[in-house]
Amino acid sequence: MTSARLRRLLATPVWVLYSLWAMLFYQLVFTAWTLQYSFFGVLGVLAASLLFLFSYGKRDRKTMVRFTLFSLAISLGIPSFASEPLAWVVVDYIVFVLFALILGVWLVRMPVVRLLLVIAVITLAELWVPLSDMSVLSHFGVEYTGHLGSQDSQIPSIPVAAAPDPARPGLDEVVTLQAHRPVKGEAQELVNLLGQPGAPAGLQDAIVQLQHSYDVVGVTPGRFGFRVASPAMSVLRGLPYHAIGLVDFPFTTSHFLDVFGKTRMYLSLSANPGELLQMALSPGHLADGIAGLSLQTAADEKANWDQLTGRGQTTVDGLTLSQGYLSGTYAGVPVRVKTSGVALFGVYRMLSSAQFSSPQAVLEGNNLIQVIALPPARPRVLATLKGSFSSPLTTDVVFADVAGTGVDDLLVNTVPAQILRLTPDLSWRTLWVSGRRSFRFETVFPQKGGDLLIANSPGFDSDAPTRYLGGYLFEGGQLVPQFRVYHNDLVSLHTVHVTSATTPELLTSVYAHQEIMLLKPSEVPWLAIVEGGYVLVILIGWIRRFRRGVTP
Amino acid sequence: MSKRWLGMIAVMAVGSMLTGCNLVSDPAKLTAVQTQRTMDPLGLQSIETSLEGMNAIQTYSLKAAMQVATGRFTREVDFYGSVQLPATISMDETIGGSDYLVYQDGQFAYYKDENRWLPMQPLTNLKPWDSLLQLLQSSPPKVVYQLPKQTVVSWNCNVYQFRDRARAGSGGLASSLPGDSVRTVPRDALYTVYIDANDGQLRQIQVQSTVGVPGLGTSSFTGTTLMFGYNVPVKLNVPDDLLAQIENP
């Protein structure tokens, strides 16, 4: 085969690969620079673009620039109609492809088949990972994406939780919501059920809310992709009421019921708009009003969840919290300690094993966190951390072994966020305070030598509060970035083990997109590949220039 | 050749900067949020004088927000509209991502959910200053602080702050709650009152509080009520679609 023929054969695959590279480079590098470094990022983009431009001679430059712009236009154009109903997507896509081909033939002057292949490959890439989520590829691979399947504005971000999967010991099942699609005759079946003995409570409201109800679903890896099915009741029983029921709390109340063996959820306003307005017009009673609404909504939601699942008091390592006492049995020794706590975070090692042989129970009360010693030490309150009105302590707290010593510190999402350590003399020491008000810790990936702290952090050189995902190590009193993912809508992040018992995965909900994602640290270094691709593109340009002897 | 290497080095350097710089600790940010404030022995009297002076108000407009932070999320309800005393209201309301309307004229009271108006219990206490005065008179704060003057919209305001320590079961808190829930009261609330330094009128009230919710932990609350357009004539007519719904059900 002659080299000319080989070149002709390879030309189309190379151009297709180039179009994919251009799309990824724009998403992973140029967008990242701009979001991280603001104005300086734009300067960086300009500099890299100019270097690219002048790496090619005049004739090549024209083709490269036009084809690059064509590829980017295709990648950015496809998502514009992706959210439409399927029939419209098909119609719009056909029209889009026709116009793109006309534009391509006129502008880029390349064979129609090659342009068609470029469009097809970019489309497939965006079906694999939607353009809006492509930025996660800089560190993660997308294992699973799920959608609510509803434009209901009452759920801005889909609740997600993980529970141990009874069929796969050591692995988790994702529990989330999907919009319920009523089928013909379903309302009649529910009405028939209504008249029968043992009909679930709340069924009448569920019929009224049929269009606005949600199926509670479990997501597990199957033989071919992921399997979405109704989770076993034992899985749901393992979750607290607020795991997936806390939607717009305390202004809406979640209701759960078992319909034909499947778990259904719907929402109702906790107080009607008139009652809420009366609260706003009565500031003298507002604190009591909202406290009452919060307590009532939580009590109702817990009752709804417990009635469905048969779940009782939350028990952690044999300990329960009730009526102002932490009680139960720990290490075979009875425990009963009076506490201000109302919620049990769990049992964590907050102090070294040299000081206390067993770990401690950590609880949250009204704007405070308490640490309680457990047997064999005498059970008692060891330390209390109090919040303020301006920096309230909510349960927005992450436990992390930041130093790799086996002792956990508190990553507290006050404003600003802080890392706090309980010292051996039982006082609190602040290890780190965020310089940015919008910085928040999300979860941790446990690892030797110090946990990897997953956080949402604003850009480096921008006053905007917009946050992007990042992984940090706490070293020398600073947070040292290990990766950044320039996706600004990732909320409700959990460390889970859905597909791997050893590699931690990130389960997240995408705010305002009604989407959930399961992310796994990528085995393919996409970021290094696209950066290397840039170097290669520049090198090829210079080599062609030198070989042809073309002056700039 | 040197240019090529220079380009490559530049690319690699910029590429490595993708993760950004180290985040250093900034303890000053902790103290920055603690506002400078001084005790004002005449503060309570100043607030009460202002509130009593509000009795001349016949109409006003209101912009309010109620923000609740629980766990990882902050939820908000917003209000914007007008009130004509003694009993007429026209208010837009946003709860979560949904919009509602409230209209009341005396005993004729409705709210609009999606496309349908539904009757509601008429609201009776439409004077925010009355409820605040009632609070101050029933449980006067031990200390009232004065904060540095602040501009609210365009009004130069004296800012007062006091703490309300509510007793268990006071203020209409639901008494039917389970034992664990009732145990979490009493609780604190911090009130910040903004009074116009020029005409002594009440401009804004901010309420901050927390409550320990069983099983859930701390839920923190911030409510801000801004009042404006005092005695500016407004026409609060029955919405056309409400009339149409009543006339053609």
Side-chain angles (χ1 to χ4, degrees):
Chain A
M1 191 182 287
T2 62
S3 66
R5 193 170 170 203
L6 186 68
R7 264 212 302 273
R8 268 204 307 277
L9 266 177
L10 286 176
T12 297
V14 167
W15 281 112
V16 168
L17 274 177
Y18 177 84
S19 68
L20 281 176
W21 169 81
M23 174 180 71
L24 280 171
F25 189 78
Y26 180 82
Q27 292 298 326
L28 301 189
V29 181
F30 274 7
T31 309
W33 283 354
T34 313
L35 295 176
Q36 175 74 327
Y37 298 108
S38 184
F39 175 70
F40 297 105
V42 175
L43 288 181
V45 169
L46 280 174
S49 303
L50 286 173
L51 181 65
F52 164 74
L53 281 177
F54 291 102
S55 297
Y56 286 87
K58 204 170 178 182
R59 205 179 69 185
D60 285 348
R61 190 185 304 156
K62 202 170 167 183
T63 309
M64 291 297 283
V65 169
R66 290 182 175 197
F67 184 74
T68 307
L69 289 177
F70 175 78
S71 303
L72 290 179
I74 298 299
S75 71
L76 296 171
I78 290 170
S80 61
F81 49 83
S83 59
E84 292 174 2
L86 186 62
W88 276 113
V89 169
V90 173
V91 172
D92 284 352
Y93 186 72
I94 292 168
V95 174
F96 175 80
V97 170
L98 284 174
F99 274 102
L101 285 177
I102 293 167
L103 182 76
V105 169
W106 174 67
L107 183 79
V108 190
R109 299 184 194 282
M110 277 193 183
V112 175
V113 176
R114 184 180 296 168
L115 295 174
L116 204 56
L117 265 174
V118 167
I119 296 170
V121 169
I122 289 179
T123 305
L124 286 174
E126 293 194 14
L127 282 175
W128 172 51
V129 181
L131 195 75
S132 57
D133 298 330
M134 210 163 268
S135 55
V136 303
L137 293 179
S138 60
H139 188 73
F140 294 100
V142 180
E143 292 287 299
Y144 172 78
T145 54
H147 296 268
L148 184 67
S150 157
Q151 296 301 317
D152 242 336
S153 57
Q154 58 185 345
I155 297 198
S157 64
I158 315 175
V160 281
D165 185 347
R168 301 179 308 135
L171 292 167
D172 295 324
E173 174 172 352
V174 175
V175 179
T176 186
L177 302 180
Q178 275 188 353
H180 177 69
R181 298 183 190 283
V183 292
K184 195 170 166 53
E186 183 180 345
Q188 183 61 54
E189 282 188 50
L190 291 174
V191 172
N192 296 343
L193 187 67
L194 196 60
Q196 291 173 12
L203 187 58
Q204 195 164 355
D205 291 332
I207 296 169
V208 175
Q209 295 286 341
L210 197 58
Q211 296 282 348
H212 299 288
S213 59
Y214 306 92
D215 292 321
V216 178
V217 295
V219 182
T220 48
R223 189 175 294 173
F224 306 104
F226 280 77
R227 198 172 68 91
V228 179
S230 192
M233 200 53 80
S234 62
V235 171
L236 298 182
R237 197 176 299 124
L239 292 170
Y241 73 93
H242 48 81
I244 56 167
L246 218 59
V247 179
D248 214 8
F249 178 87
F251 305 114
T252 60
T253 303
S254 306
H255 304 265
F256 298 92
L257 68 164
D258 188 3
V259 184
F260 306 124
K262 291 185 176 175
T263 304
R264 188 83 55 81
M265 180 183 125
Y266 68 92
L267 300 166
S268 67
L269 286 178
S270 306
N272 74 43
E275 291 166 330
L276 289 174
L277 178 57
Q278 182 66 84
M279 280 191 203
L281 292 174
S282 313
H285 308 129
L286 189 50
D288 271 323
I290 209 76
L293 186 71
S294 301
L295 294 170
Q296 187 68 61
T297 303
D300 289 346
E301 290 186 341
K302 184 176 187 318
N304 294 337
W305 184 250
D306 289 355
Q307 189 182 33
L308 172 87
T309 61
R311 183 186 166 93
Q313 282 283 353
T314 298
T315 303
V316 179
D317 288 354
L319 301 169
T320 56
L321 180 62
S322 179
Q323 303 289 331
Y325 285 90
L326 178 73
S327 50
T329 304
Y330 189 83
V333 181
V335 174
R336 185 170 165 81
V337 184
K338 190 169 172 53
T339 171
S340 312
V342 294
L344 181 55
F345 276 121
V347 175
Y348 296 92
R349 176 158 291 288
M350 303 296 293
L351 293 158
S352 70
S353 52
Q355 189 174 6
F356 284 92
S357 58
S358 59
Q360 293 75 42
V362 186
L363 301 89
E364 194 184 57
N366 182 11
N367 210 1
L368 57 84
I369 287 173
Q370 282 191 327
V371 179
I372 292 180
L374 294 174
R378 181 170 60 85
R380 63 192 187 280
V381 175
L382 291 175
T384 300
L385 177 68
K386 289 185 178 173
S388 65
F389 286 113
S390 55
S391 273
L393 278 175
T394 67
T395 43
D396 204 358
V397 169
V398 178
F399 291 83
D401 176 8
V402 299
T405 56
V407 175
D408 282 331
D409 293 309
L410 283 182
L411 317 184
V412 187
N413 284 321
T414 45
V415 179
Q418 307 169 64
I419 301 178
L420 296 163
R421 174 170 293 172
L422 184 59
T423 58
D425 65 353
L426 305 180
S427 61
W428 295 95
R429 185 156 72 92
T430 306
L431 299 183
W432 182 85
V433 181
S434 172
R436 301 292 298 274
R437 289 177 64 82
S438 65
F439 179 97
R440 48 171 290 115
F441 294 107
E442 298 290 355
T443 183
V444 296
F445 279 0
Q447 60 184 33
K448 281 181 183 172
D451 293 346
L452 181 66
L453 315 181
I454 310 292
N456 268 314
S457 167
F460 175 71
D461 188 50
S462 163
D463 291 332
T466 313
R467 297 177 277 238
Y468 309 99
L469 192 67
Y472 299 88
L473 287 178
F474 184 70
E475 288 174 353
Q478 302 183 1
L479 292 190
V480 181
Q482 304 300 301
F483 72 83
R484 290 305 305 267
V485 167
Y486 293 91
H487 195 308
N488 62 349
D489 297 313
L490 304 182
V491 297
S492 195
L493 291 110
H494 303 264
T495 299
V496 295
H497 290 276
V498 177
T499 66
S500 165
T502 50
T503 307
E505 296 157 313
L506 204 55
L507 177 64
T508 176
S509 187
V510 187
Y511 189 80
H513 286 68
Q514 300 189 323
E515 180 188 42
I516 65 164
M517 281 198 289
L518 179 66
L519 307 174
K520 190 175 184 180
S522 180
E523 289 167 3
V524 182
W526 290 109
L527 186 57
I529 288 172
V530 293
E531 284 178 336
Y534 179 78
V535 176
L536 189 67
V537 166
I538 300 292
L539 277 179
I540 290 171
W542 284 108
I543 289 167
R544 286 176 66 85
R545 282 181 70 141
F546 280 112
R547 280 179 62 183
R548 294 185 174 192
V550 181
T551 51
Chain B
M1 190 70 178
S2 61
K3 275 185 187 173
R4 199 186 315 170
W5 282 109
L6 212 64
M8 278 178 66
I9 290 164
V11 169
M12 297 312 285
V14 182
S16 69
M17 284 169 66
L18 271 173
T19 53
C21 303
N22 291 0
L23 303 181
V24 296
S25 182
D26 189 357
K29 283 284 187 297
L30 275 182
T31 48
V33 294
Q34 292 165 0
T35 319
Q36 294 285 324
R37 60 180 193 179
T38 53
M39 279 173 62
D40 183 356
L42 298 176
L44 180 60
Q45 193 185 334
S46 302
I47 300 171
E48 287 183 339
T49 305
S50 169
L51 298 178
E52 282 160 0
M54 299 298 286
N55 283 329
I57 302 301
Q58 289 303 309
T59 61
Y60 68 93
S61 294
L62 173 135
K63 183 177 185 290
M66 300 199 301
Q67 206 176 56
V68 176
T70 312
R72 299 168 174 219
F73 292 101
T74 300
R75 309 297 193 189
E76 189 165 314
V77 175
D78 296 296
F79 307 87
Y80 190 90
S82 298
V83 176
Q84 187 170 22
L85 298 171
T88 309
I89 308 169
S90 175
M91 196 70 62
D92 288 347
E93 201 170 319
T94 307
I95 306 172
S98 305
D99 295 323
Y100 300 85
L101 292 173
V102 172
Y103 181 80
Q104 174 178 314
D105 188 353
Q107 291 298 304
F108 180 81
Y110 280 78
Y111 72 88
K112 188 180 181 185
D113 182 356
E114 292 187 354
N115 294 318
R116 187 156 180 82
W117 288 90
L118 300 161
M120 66 176 204
Q121 191 70 25
L123 312 189
T124 50
N125 185 2
L126 307 190
K127 298 177 183 173
W129 45 89
D130 270 5
S131 81
L132 194 58
L133 192 59
Q134 200 183 337
L135 174 79
L136 290 172
Q137 289 171 347
S138 63
S139 54
K142 287 179 183 167
V143 183
V144 174
Y145 295 95
Q146 186 157 18
L147 281 72
K149 281 188 177 176
Q150 282 183 42
T151 301
V152 175
V153 188
S154 60
W155 307 293
N156 186 27
C157 291
N158 290 320
V159 186
Y160 300 95
Q161 202 169 62
F162 61 89
R163 209 159 172 166
D164 166 45
R165 293 176 190 273
R167 291 178 298 279
S170 68
L173 191 60
S175 57
S176 59
L177 293 166
D180 264 1
S181 301
V182 172
R183 202 188 61 73
T184 61
V185 289
R187 55 94 203 95
D188 276 352
L190 184 73
Y191 279 78
T192 310
V193 182
Y194 299 76
I195 293 171
D196 197 315
N198 296 322
D199 57 18
Q201 286 189 320
L202 175 69
R203 293 297 180 189
Q204 184 171 277
I205 304 167
Q206 190 182 53
V207 188
Q208 290 169 285
S209 70
T210 60
V211 61
V213 183
L216 204 56
T218 300
S219 185
S220 78
F221 166 72
T222 303
T224 308
T225 308
L226 173 80
M227 287 147 285
F228 58 99
Y230 290 134
N231 287 337
V232 173
V234 286
K235 274 192 171 181
L236 305 181
N237 295 329
V238 185
D240 290 342
D241 58 343
L242 173 55
L243 283 177
Q245 181 184 307
I246 293 168
E247 288 164 358
N248 309 301

